[in-house]
Amino acid sequence: MMLIKLFPTALTVLAGALAATQAASLQKVTEDFGPNPRNVGFYIYVPDTLAPRPPILVNPHWCHGDAQACHAGSQYATLASRYGFIVIYPDSPNAADKCWDVSSNRTLTHDGGGDSLGIASMVRWTLEKYGGDRDRVFVTGVSSGAMMTSVLVGAYPDLFAAGSAFAGVPFGCFAGEGYGTWSDACAKGQVRHAGSEWAEMVRAAYPGYGDEWRPKMQIFHGTADEVLDYVNFGEEVKQWTSVLGLGETPVSTTADTPVPGWTKSVYGSTGWFEAYSAAGVSHNIQNQEAVVMKWFDLACTAGDCYKWGHGSPRMRS
């Protein structure tokens, strides 16, 4: 899979001004942080000043990337210093191409193993160590990181409150034997299912969890994606609307949002699922930190910072 270059966003100027006063740095966690059968690397950014009960953002990297490149390639660490949240940068143990395990049955199963369990252990350790807010754990990534975002939201709905995936595929689309399986059929848009079939894959990841509460989800995809065909965008829409009990027809669409040529579609009266189609954009899609920050409400530092999640019971492991 090609390397994703993260382009500057509207937050770049702000981030540059903040960087001068930023003292915290990316640190590797070497102590035992819980089950990690695949030896996923654990890097963390903890700002000098934390918000009360700080939220946590998980940011898995793309293929051929690593935790350090992911940290340097977006503004999330700088924004964390401003708003007091913690960022976890997992590092893939797959030395061949640094892609994530999004294929094995273990990683696609709640607490089953694979890369996803190592990342879940990082979150649980961080929540405990820093007194984090268990209701405000989020995940975002691009390319292979987007695939892992879908895996974590699907297999760990008790742990994550929301996800945001750039240029990914549906949960389970890459399913196969082994930890480093590349699904050419999925990448080329040849794996298609009814929404109910896609949703069943998600539900099977955590038997007995039920649908009383599910994390909200946001996806982005370029229509000219040459690595993960744009067909996957439509399949993701079918999957997540079915998982969340929403219709496949958006309740609203907004053109040229957040940039010219991109179209935002909102599904369901509560807006629990959003999909952004980027006309003419390749796999090298532009990251949108401002949109993601708003989706997660990470700029909230006091008061009711989980207002969008209230009103539904939440199950925990």
Side-chain angles (χ1 to χ4, degrees), residues 51-88:
R53 298 181 66 232
I56 296 169
L57 176 64
V58 179
N59 191 194
H61 59 75
W62 49 91
C63 285
H64 306 291
D66 56 27
Q68 292 91 335
C70 199
H71 167 259
S74 79
Q75 302 302 325
Y76 291 123
T78 301
L79 291 162
S81 286
R82 181 177 189 190
Y83 296 110
F85 60 88
I86 296 169
V87 189
I88 292 173

PDB file of all heavy atoms in Angstrom, residues 51-88:
ATOM      1  N   ALA A  51      -6.091  17.837  30.635  1.00  0.00           N
ATOM      2  CA  ALA A  51      -7.450  18.193  31.033  1.00  0.00           C
ATOM      3  C   ALA A  51      -7.891  17.279  32.170  1.00  0.00           C
ATOM      4  O   ALA A  51      -7.361  16.176  32.332  1.00  0.00           O
ATOM      5  CB  ALA A  51      -8.396  18.048  29.848  1.00  0.00           C
ATOM      6  N   PRO A  52      -8.835  17.701  32.992  1.00  0.00           N
ATOM      7  CA  PRO A  52      -9.382  16.792  34.005  1.00  0.00           C
ATOM      8  C   PRO A  52      -9.962  15.560  33.312  1.00  0.00           C
ATOM      9  O   PRO A  52     -10.683  15.693  32.317  1.00  0.00           O
ATOM     10  CB  PRO A  52     -10.486  17.630  34.663  1.00  0.00           C
ATOM     11  CG  PRO A  52     -10.122  19.045  34.375  1.00  0.00           C
ATOM     12  CD  PRO A  52      -9.464  19.034  33.027  1.00  0.00           C
ATOM     13  N   ARG A  53      -9.618  14.379  33.803  1.00  0.00           N
ATOM     14  CA  ARG A  53     -10.065  13.139  33.163  1.00  0.00           C
ATOM     15  C   ARG A  53      -9.837  13.237  31.642  1.00  0.00           C
ATOM     16  O   ARG A  53     -10.778  13.284  30.852  1.00  0.00           O
ATOM     17  CB  ARG A  53     -11.537  12.857  33.473  1.00  0.00           C
ATOM     18  CG  ARG A  53     -11.826  12.658  34.951  1.00  0.00           C
ATOM     19  CD  ARG A  53     -13.294  12.357  35.218  1.00  0.00           C
ATOM     20  NE  ARG A  53     -13.674  11.072  34.643  1.00  0.00           N
ATOM     21  CZ  ARG A  53     -14.723  10.885  33.834  1.00  0.00           C
ATOM     22  NH1 ARG A  53     -15.476  11.909  33.487  1.00  0.00           N
ATOM     23  NH2 ARG A  53     -15.010   9.697  33.378  1.00  0.00           N
ATOM     24  N   PRO A  54      -8.605  13.276  31.211  1.00  0.00           N
ATOM     25  CA  PRO A  54      -8.297  13.541  29.808  1.00  0.00           C
ATOM     26  C   PRO A  54      -8.854  12.491  28.851  1.00  0.00           C
ATOM     27  O   PRO A  54      -8.801  11.283  29.135  1.00  0.00           O
ATOM     28  CB  PRO A  54      -6.763  13.516  29.783  1.00  0.00           C
ATOM     29  CG  PRO A  54      -6.383  12.674  30.954  1.00  0.00           C
ATOM     30  CD  PRO A  54      -7.398  12.974  32.008  1.00  0.00           C
ATOM     31  N   PRO A  55      -9.386  12.927  27.709  1.00  0.00           N
ATOM     32  CA  PRO A  55      -9.769  11.979  26.669  1.00  0.00           C
ATOM     33  C   PRO A  55      -8.535  11.405  25.999  1.00  0.00           C
ATOM     34  O   PRO A  55      -7.414  11.922  26.172  1.00  0.00           O
ATOM     35  CB  PRO A  55     -10.594  12.835  25.706  1.00  0.00           C
ATOM     36  CG  PRO A  55     -10.158  14.226  25.953  1.00  0.00           C
ATOM     37  CD  PRO A  55      -9.713  14.308  27.381  1.00  0.00           C
ATOM     38  N   ILE A  56      -8.721  10.348  25.223  1.00  0.00           N
ATOM     39  CA  ILE A  56      -7.612   9.663  24.560  1.00  0.00           C
ATOM     40  C   ILE A  56      -7.922   9.524  23.077  1.00  0.00           C
ATOM     41  O   ILE A  56      -9.014   9.100  22.693  1.00  0.00           O
ATOM     42  CB  ILE A  56      -7.370   8.269  25.177  1.00  0.00           C
ATOM     43  CG1 ILE A  56      -6.928   8.405  26.641  1.00  0.00           C
ATOM     44  CG2 ILE A  56      -6.328   7.496  24.377  1.00  0.00           C
ATOM     45  CD1 ILE A  56      -6.916   7.096  27.397  1.00  0.00           C
ATOM     46  N   LEU A  57      -6.949   9.869  22.252  1.00  0.00           N
ATOM     47  CA  LEU A  57      -7.051   9.695  20.811  1.00  0.00           C
ATOM     48  C   LEU A  57      -6.006   8.679  20.375  1.00  0.00           C
ATOM     49  O   LEU A  57      -4.818   8.832  20.651  1.00  0.00           O
ATOM     50  CB  LEU A  57      -6.803  11.026  20.089  1.00  0.00           C
ATOM     51  CG  LEU A  57      -6.778  10.967  18.560  1.00  0.00           C
ATOM     52  CD1 LEU A  57      -8.125  10.544  18.008  1.00  0.00           C
ATOM     53  CD2 LEU A  57      -6.344  12.312  17.980  1.00  0.00           C
ATOM     54  N   VAL A  58      -6.441   7.639  19.676  1.00  0.00           N
ATOM     55  CA  VAL A  58      -5.539   6.630  19.114  1.00  0.00           C
ATOM     56  C   VAL A  58      -5.365   6.938  17.632  1.00  0.00           C
ATOM     57  O   VAL A  58      -6.340   7.153  16.914  1.00  0.00           O
ATOM     58  CB  VAL A  58      -6.101   5.210  19.302  1.00  0.00           C
ATOM     59  CG1 VAL A  58      -5.165   4.172  18.682  1.00  0.00           C
ATOM     60  CG2 VAL A  58      -6.310   4.914  20.784  1.00  0.00           C
ATOM     61  N   ASN A  59      -4.100   6.976  17.170  1.00  0.00           N
ATOM     62  CA  ASN A  59      -3.816   7.365  15.790  1.00  0.00           C
ATOM     63  C   ASN A  59      -2.886   6.341  15.127  1.00  0.00           C
ATOM     64  O   ASN A  59      -1.679   6.552  15.029  1.00  0.00           O
ATOM     65  CB  ASN A  59      -3.206   8.767  15.772  1.00  0.00           C
ATOM     66  CG  ASN A  59      -3.111   9.386  14.396  1.00  0.00           C
ATOM     67  OD1 ASN A  59      -2.421  10.375  14.199  1.00  0.00           O
ATOM     68  ND2 ASN A  59      -3.783   8.833  13.404  1.00  0.00           N
ATOM     69  N   PRO A  60      -3.430   5.207  14.642  1.00  0.00           N
ATOM     70  CA  PRO A  60      -2.600   4.209  13.963  1.00  0.00           C
ATOM     71  C   PRO A  60      -2.100   4.718  12.611  1.00  0.00           C
ATOM     72  O   PRO A  60      -2.820   5.409  11.891  1.00  0.00           O
ATOM     73  CB  PRO A  60      -3.537   3.013  13.801  1.00  0.00           C
ATOM     74  CG  PRO A  60      -4.917   3.585  13.848  1.00  0.00           C
ATOM     75  CD  PRO A  60      -4.837   4.782  14.736  1.00  0.00           C
ATOM     76  N   HIS A  61      -0.871   4.391  12.266  1.00  0.00           N
ATOM     77  CA  HIS A  61      -0.244   4.888  11.047  1.00  0.00           C
ATOM     78  C   HIS A  61      -0.678   4.103   9.805  1.00  0.00           C
ATOM     79  O   HIS A  61      -1.412   3.119   9.879  1.00  0.00           O
ATOM     80  CB  HIS A  61       1.280   4.862  11.193  1.00  0.00           C
ATOM     81  CG  HIS A  61       1.842   3.491  11.459  1.00  0.00           C
ATOM     82  ND1 HIS A  61       1.941   2.519  10.496  1.00  0.00           N
ATOM     83  CD2 HIS A  61       2.329   2.924  12.605  1.00  0.00           C
ATOM     84  CE1 HIS A  61       2.478   1.421  11.003  1.00  0.00           C
ATOM     85  NE2 HIS A  61       2.714   1.645  12.291  1.00  0.00           N
ATOM     86  N   TRP A  62      -0.182   4.520   8.656  1.00  0.00           N
ATOM     87  CA  TRP A  62      -0.461   3.912   7.369  1.00  0.00           C
ATOM     88  C   TRP A  62       0.602   2.852   7.049  1.00  0.00           C
ATOM     89  O   TRP A  62       1.617   2.740   7.731  1.00  0.00           O
ATOM     90  CB  TRP A  62      -0.432   5.008   6.299  1.00  0.00           C
ATOM     91  CG  TRP A  62       0.799   5.866   6.388  1.00  0.00           C
ATOM     92  CD1 TRP A  62       2.005   5.675   5.750  1.00  0.00           C
ATOM     93  CD2 TRP A  62       0.968   7.026   7.202  1.00  0.00           C
ATOM     94  NE1 TRP A  62       2.900   6.649   6.102  1.00  0.00           N
ATOM     95  CE2 TRP A  62       2.295   7.504   6.995  1.00  0.00           C
ATOM     96  CE3 TRP A  62       0.128   7.739   8.076  1.00  0.00           C
ATOM     97  CZ2 TRP A  62       2.797   8.638   7.625  1.00  0.00           C
ATOM     98  CZ3 TRP A  62       0.638   8.874   8.707  1.00  0.00           C
ATOM     99  CH2 TRP A  62       1.949   9.305   8.488  1.00  0.00           C
ATOM    100  N   CYS A  63       0.391   2.068   6.001  1.00  0.00           N
ATOM    101  CA  CYS A  63       1.409   1.120   5.545  1.00  0.00           C
ATOM    102  C   CYS A  63       2.681   1.865   5.171  1.00  0.00           C
ATOM    103  O   CYS A  63       2.627   2.970   4.608  1.00  0.00           O
ATOM    104  CB  CYS A  63       0.927   0.345   4.331  1.00  0.00           C
ATOM    105  SG  CYS A  63      -0.282  -0.947   4.668  1.00  0.00           S
ATOM    106  N   HIS A  64       3.820   1.244   5.481  1.00  0.00           N
ATOM    107  CA  HIS A  64       5.144   1.814   5.219  1.00  0.00           C
ATOM    108  C   HIS A  64       5.426   3.038   6.093  1.00  0.00           C
ATOM    109  O   HIS A  64       6.429   3.719   5.883  1.00  0.00           O
ATOM    110  CB  HIS A  64       5.331   2.156   3.737  1.00  0.00           C
ATOM    111  CG  HIS A  64       5.065   1.011   2.817  1.00  0.00           C
ATOM    112  ND1 HIS A  64       5.882  -0.090   2.747  1.00  0.00           N
ATOM    113  CD2 HIS A  64       4.032   0.777   1.960  1.00  0.00           C
ATOM    114  CE1 HIS A  64       5.384  -0.953   1.881  1.00  0.00           C
ATOM    115  NE2 HIS A  64       4.259  -0.453   1.391  1.00  0.00           N
ATOM    116  N   GLY A  65       4.545   3.309   7.033  1.00  0.00           N
ATOM    117  CA  GLY A  65       4.775   4.375   7.993  1.00  0.00           C
ATOM    118  C   GLY A  65       5.155   3.790   9.342  1.00  0.00           C
ATOM    119  O   GLY A  65       5.402   2.592   9.478  1.00  0.00           O
ATOM    120  N   ASP A  66       5.205   4.624  10.337  1.00  0.00           N
ATOM    121  CA  ASP A  66       5.447   4.167  11.693  1.00  0.00           C
ATOM    122  C   ASP A  66       4.902   5.209  12.660  1.00  0.00           C
ATOM    123  O   ASP A  66       4.362   6.240  12.241  1.00  0.00           O
ATOM    124  CB  ASP A  66       6.932   3.896  11.959  1.00  0.00           C
ATOM    125  CG  ASP A  66       7.840   5.085  11.674  1.00  0.00           C
ATOM    126  OD1 ASP A  66       7.360   6.251  11.760  1.00  0.00           O
ATOM    127  OD2 ASP A  66       9.029   4.874  11.376  1.00  0.00           O
ATOM    128  N   ALA A  67       5.029   4.927  13.951  1.00  0.00           N
ATOM    129  CA  ALA A  67       4.469   5.829  14.957  1.00  0.00           C
ATOM    130  C   ALA A  67       5.089   7.215  14.881  1.00  0.00           C
ATOM    131  O   ALA A  67       4.389   8.230  15.010  1.00  0.00           O
ATOM    132  CB  ALA A  67       4.670   5.228  16.352  1.00  0.00           C
ATOM    133  N   GLN A  68       6.398   7.276  14.670  1.00  0.00           N
ATOM    134  CA  GLN A  68       7.071   8.569  14.625  1.00  0.00           C
ATOM    135  C   GLN A  68       6.596   9.407  13.432  1.00  0.00           C
ATOM    136  O   GLN A  68       6.373  10.620  13.559  1.00  0.00           O
ATOM    137  CB  GLN A  68       8.593   8.380  14.553  1.00  0.00           C
ATOM    138  CG  GLN A  68       9.199   7.799  15.823  1.00  0.00           C
ATOM    139  CD  GLN A  68       9.283   6.284  15.804  1.00  0.00           C
ATOM    140  OE1 GLN A  68       8.518   5.621  15.103  1.00  0.00           O
ATOM    141  NE2 GLN A  68      10.191   5.729  16.586  1.00  0.00           N
ATOM    142  N   ALA A  69       6.434   8.763  12.284  1.00  0.00           N
ATOM    143  CA  ALA A  69       5.962   9.480  11.098  1.00  0.00           C
ATOM    144  C   ALA A  69       4.531   9.960  11.283  1.00  0.00           C
ATOM    145  O   ALA A  69       4.167  11.055  10.844  1.00  0.00           O
ATOM    146  CB  ALA A  69       6.068   8.577   9.872  1.00  0.00           C
ATOM    147  N   CYS A  70       3.731   9.144  11.943  1.00  0.00           N
ATOM    148  CA  CYS A  70       2.340   9.523  12.197  1.00  0.00           C
ATOM    149  C   CYS A  70       2.280  10.721  13.146  1.00  0.00           C
ATOM    150  O   CYS A  70       1.495  11.652  12.947  1.00  0.00           O
ATOM    151  CB  CYS A  70       1.587   8.331  12.772  1.00  0.00           C
ATOM    152  SG  CYS A  70      -0.201   8.437  12.632  1.00  0.00           S
ATOM    153  N   HIS A  71       3.111  10.687  14.159  1.00  0.00           N
ATOM    154  CA  HIS A  71       3.190  11.798  15.111  1.00  0.00           C
ATOM    155  C   HIS A  71       3.605  13.090  14.411  1.00  0.00           C
ATOM    156  O   HIS A  71       3.024  14.154  14.646  1.00  0.00           O
ATOM    157  CB  HIS A  71       4.184  11.439  16.218  1.00  0.00           C
ATOM    158  CG  HIS A  71       4.594  12.576  17.083  1.00  0.00           C
ATOM    159  ND1 HIS A  71       5.810  13.227  16.926  1.00  0.00           N
ATOM    160  CD2 HIS A  71       3.968  13.206  18.111  1.00  0.00           C
ATOM    161  CE1 HIS A  71       5.911  14.189  17.822  1.00  0.00           C
ATOM    162  NE2 HIS A  71       4.811  14.199  18.552  1.00  0.00           N
ATOM    163  N   ALA A  72       4.589  12.983  13.519  1.00  0.00           N
ATOM    164  CA  ALA A  72       5.102  14.170  12.837  1.00  0.00           C
ATOM    165  C   ALA A  72       4.197  14.627  11.698  1.00  0.00           C
ATOM    166  O   ALA A  72       4.240  15.791  11.297  1.00  0.00           O
ATOM    167  CB  ALA A  72       6.501  13.891  12.292  1.00  0.00           C
ATOM    168  N   GLY A  73       3.376  13.718  11.187  1.00  0.00           N
ATOM    169  CA  GLY A  73       2.615  13.996   9.982  1.00  0.00           C
ATOM    170  C   GLY A  73       1.251  14.609  10.167  1.00  0.00           C
ATOM    171  O   GLY A  73       0.522  14.812   9.193  1.00  0.00           O
ATOM    172  N   SER A  74       0.865  14.878  11.380  1.00  0.00           N
ATOM    173  CA  SER A  74      -0.412  15.556  11.616  1.00  0.00           C
ATOM    174  C   SER A  74      -0.250  16.520  12.786  1.00  0.00           C
ATOM    175  O   SER A  74       0.802  16.570  13.423  1.00  0.00           O
ATOM    176  CB  SER A  74      -1.535  14.554  11.910  1.00  0.00           C
ATOM    177  OG  SER A  74      -1.476  14.108  13.250  1.00  0.00           O
ATOM    178  N   GLN A  75      -1.315  17.242  13.098  1.00  0.00           N
ATOM    179  CA  GLN A  75      -1.272  18.263  14.148  1.00  0.00           C
ATOM    180  C   GLN A  75      -1.847  17.775  15.484  1.00  0.00           C
ATOM    181  O   GLN A  75      -2.026  18.580  16.397  1.00  0.00           O
ATOM    182  CB  GLN A  75      -2.041  19.503  13.687  1.00  0.00           C
ATOM    183  CG  GLN A  75      -1.502  20.101  12.393  1.00  0.00           C
ATOM    184  CD  GLN A  75      -0.038  20.492  12.481  1.00  0.00           C
ATOM    185  OE1 GLN A  75       0.434  20.930  13.534  1.00  0.00           O
ATOM    186  NE2 GLN A  75       0.688  20.339  11.388  1.00  0.00           N
ATOM    187  N   TYR A  76      -2.117  16.474  15.596  1.00  0.00           N
ATOM    188  CA  TYR A  76      -2.824  16.012  16.794  1.00  0.00           C
ATOM    189  C   TYR A  76      -2.024  16.198  18.084  1.00  0.00           C
ATOM    190  O   TYR A  76      -2.589  16.528  19.128  1.00  0.00           O
ATOM    191  CB  TYR A  76      -3.257  14.556  16.632  1.00  0.00           C
ATOM    192  CG  TYR A  76      -4.347  14.398  15.598  1.00  0.00           C
ATOM    193  CD1 TYR A  76      -4.185  13.557  14.502  1.00  0.00           C
ATOM    194  CD2 TYR A  76      -5.538  15.115  15.709  1.00  0.00           C
ATOM    195  CE1 TYR A  76      -5.183  13.421  13.545  1.00  0.00           C
ATOM    196  CE2 TYR A  76      -6.542  14.992  14.757  1.00  0.00           C
ATOM    197  CZ  TYR A  76      -6.356  14.142  13.672  1.00  0.00           C
ATOM    198  OH  TYR A  76      -7.333  14.031  12.725  1.00  0.00           O
ATOM    199  N   ALA A  77      -0.714  16.007  18.042  1.00  0.00           N
ATOM    200  CA  ALA A  77       0.075  16.212  19.263  1.00  0.00           C
ATOM    201  C   ALA A  77       0.051  17.674  19.694  1.00  0.00           C
ATOM    202  O   ALA A  77      -0.100  17.983  20.881  1.00  0.00           O
ATOM    203  CB  ALA A  77       1.509  15.745  19.040  1.00  0.00           C
ATOM    204  N   THR A  78       0.187  18.570  18.736  1.00  0.00           N
ATOM    205  CA  THR A  78       0.148  19.989  19.057  1.00  0.00           C
ATOM    206  C   THR A  78      -1.219  20.385  19.601  1.00  0.00           C
ATOM    207  O   THR A  78      -1.327  21.151  20.569  1.00  0.00           O
ATOM    208  CB  THR A  78       0.480  20.829  17.804  1.00  0.00           C
ATOM    209  OG1 THR A  78       1.776  20.453  17.335  1.00  0.00           O
ATOM    210  CG2 THR A  78       0.470  22.310  18.125  1.00  0.00           C
ATOM    211  N   LEU A  79      -2.264  19.847  19.000  1.00  0.00           N
ATOM    212  CA  LEU A  79      -3.618  20.121  19.486  1.00  0.00           C
ATOM    213  C   LEU A  79      -3.845  19.509  20.864  1.00  0.00           C
ATOM    214  O   LEU A  79      -4.548  20.069  21.699  1.00  0.00           O
ATOM    215  CB  LEU A  79      -4.640  19.594  18.477  1.00  0.00           C
ATOM    216  CG  LEU A  79      -4.675  20.374  17.159  1.00  0.00           C
ATOM    217  CD1 LEU A  79      -5.365  19.563  16.063  1.00  0.00           C
ATOM    218  CD2 LEU A  79      -5.379  21.708  17.358  1.00  0.00           C
ATOM    219  N   ALA A  80      -3.220  18.352  21.110  1.00  0.00           N
ATOM    220  CA  ALA A  80      -3.313  17.730  22.433  1.00  0.00           C
ATOM    221  C   ALA A  80      -2.713  18.640  23.488  1.00  0.00           C
ATOM    222  O   ALA A  80      -3.222  18.752  24.613  1.00  0.00           O
ATOM    223  CB  ALA A  80      -2.610  16.377  22.428  1.00  0.00           C
ATOM    224  N   SER A  81      -1.608  19.322  23.145  1.00  0.00           N
ATOM    225  CA  SER A  81      -0.994  20.247  24.096  1.00  0.00           C
ATOM    226  C   SER A  81      -1.911  21.420  24.406  1.00  0.00           C
ATOM    227  O   SER A  81      -1.906  21.952  25.511  1.00  0.00           O
ATOM    228  CB  SER A  81       0.335  20.767  23.539  1.00  0.00           C
ATOM    229  OG  SER A  81       1.324  19.772  23.612  1.00  0.00           O
ATOM    230  N   ARG A  82      -2.703  21.806  23.442  1.00  0.00           N
ATOM    231  CA  ARG A  82      -3.614  22.926  23.678  1.00  0.00           C
ATOM    232  C   ARG A  82      -4.834  22.505  24.483  1.00  0.00           C
ATOM    233  O   ARG A  82      -5.274  23.223  25.383  1.00  0.00           O
ATOM    234  CB  ARG A  82      -4.067  23.529  22.352  1.00  0.00           C
ATOM    235  CG  ARG A  82      -5.000  24.721  22.570  1.00  0.00           C
ATOM    236  CD  ARG A  82      -5.413  25.385  21.286  1.00  0.00           C
ATOM    237  NE  ARG A  82      -6.119  26.636  21.582  1.00  0.00           N
ATOM    238  CZ  ARG A  82      -6.767  27.358  20.694  1.00  0.00           C
ATOM    239  NH1 ARG A  82      -6.810  26.969  19.443  1.00  0.00           N
ATOM    240  NH2 ARG A  82      -7.369  28.464  21.041  1.00  0.00           N
ATOM    241  N   TYR A  83      -5.382  21.332  24.167  1.00  0.00           N
ATOM    242  CA  TYR A  83      -6.658  20.934  24.773  1.00  0.00           C
ATOM    243  C   TYR A  83      -6.533  19.867  25.862  1.00  0.00           C
ATOM    244  O   TYR A  83      -7.523  19.517  26.495  1.00  0.00           O
ATOM    245  CB  TYR A  83      -7.615  20.447  23.685  1.00  0.00           C
ATOM    246  CG  TYR A  83      -7.981  21.541  22.711  1.00  0.00           C
ATOM    247  CD1 TYR A  83      -7.522  21.515  21.396  1.00  0.00           C
ATOM    248  CD2 TYR A  83      -8.772  22.616  23.103  1.00  0.00           C
ATOM    249  CE1 TYR A  83      -7.846  22.525  20.497  1.00  0.00           C
ATOM    250  CE2 TYR A  83      -9.105  23.632  22.214  1.00  0.00           C
ATOM    251  CZ  TYR A  83      -8.638  23.576  20.919  1.00  0.00           C
ATOM    252  OH  TYR A  83      -8.956  24.573  20.029  1.00  0.00           O
ATOM    253  N   GLY A  84      -5.336  19.344  26.091  1.00  0.00           N
ATOM    254  CA  GLY A  84      -5.114  18.462  27.234  1.00  0.00           C
ATOM    255  C   GLY A  84      -5.512  17.019  27.056  1.00  0.00           C
ATOM    256  O   GLY A  84      -5.663  16.298  28.039  1.00  0.00           O
ATOM    257  N   PHE A  85      -5.644  16.539  25.817  1.00  0.00           N
ATOM    258  CA  PHE A  85      -5.932  15.117  25.628  1.00  0.00           C
ATOM    259  C   PHE A  85      -4.648  14.352  25.343  1.00  0.00           C
ATOM    260  O   PHE A  85      -3.589  14.944  25.075  1.00  0.00           O
ATOM    261  CB  PHE A  85      -6.971  14.893  24.527  1.00  0.00           C
ATOM    262  CG  PHE A  85      -6.609  15.386  23.147  1.00  0.00           C
ATOM    263  CD1 PHE A  85      -5.916  14.575  22.245  1.00  0.00           C
ATOM    264  CD2 PHE A  85      -6.997  16.660  22.727  1.00  0.00           C
ATOM    265  CE1 PHE A  85      -5.606  15.021  20.977  1.00  0.00           C
ATOM    266  CE2 PHE A  85      -6.699  17.114  21.450  1.00  0.00           C
ATOM    267  CZ  PHE A  85      -5.991  16.291  20.573  1.00  0.00           C
ATOM    268  N   ILE A  86      -4.698  13.050  25.415  1.00  0.00           N
ATOM    269  CA  ILE A  86      -3.544  12.179  25.215  1.00  0.00           C
ATOM    270  C   ILE A  86      -3.652  11.507  23.847  1.00  0.00           C
ATOM    271  O   ILE A  86      -4.738  11.111  23.432  1.00  0.00           O
ATOM    272  CB  ILE A  86      -3.481  11.104  26.323  1.00  0.00           C
ATOM    273  CG1 ILE A  86      -3.268  11.758  27.695  1.00  0.00           C
ATOM    274  CG2 ILE A  86      -2.377  10.088  26.046  1.00  0.00           C
ATOM    275  CD1 ILE A  86      -3.455  10.796  28.858  1.00  0.00           C
ATOM    276  N   VAL A  87      -2.520  11.378  23.162  1.00  0.00           N
ATOM    277  CA  VAL A  87      -2.510  10.692  21.867  1.00  0.00           C
ATOM    278  C   VAL A  87      -1.649   9.434  21.958  1.00  0.00           C
ATOM    279  O   VAL A  87      -0.499   9.492  22.408  1.00  0.00           O
ATOM    280  CB  VAL A  87      -1.981  11.584  20.735  1.00  0.00           C
ATOM    281  CG1 VAL A  87      -2.211  10.899  19.375  1.00  0.00           C
ATOM    282  CG2 VAL A  87      -2.639  12.958  20.752  1.00  0.00           C
ATOM    283  N   ILE A  88      -2.221   8.309  21.538  1.00  0.00           N
ATOM    284  CA  ILE A  88      -1.500   7.042  21.458  1.00  0.00           C
ATOM    285  C   ILE A  88      -1.163   6.788  19.990  1.00  0.00           C
ATOM    286  O   ILE A  88      -2.043   6.838  19.126  1.00  0.00           O
ATOM    287  CB  ILE A  88      -2.339   5.883  22.011  1.00  0.00           C
ATOM    288  CG1 ILE A  88      -2.522   6.024  23.522  1.00  0.00           C
ATOM    289  CG2 ILE A  88      -1.696   4.534  21.678  1.00  0.00           C
ATOM    290  CD1 ILE A  88      -3.485   5.011  24.123  1.00  0.00           C
TER     291      ILE A  88
END
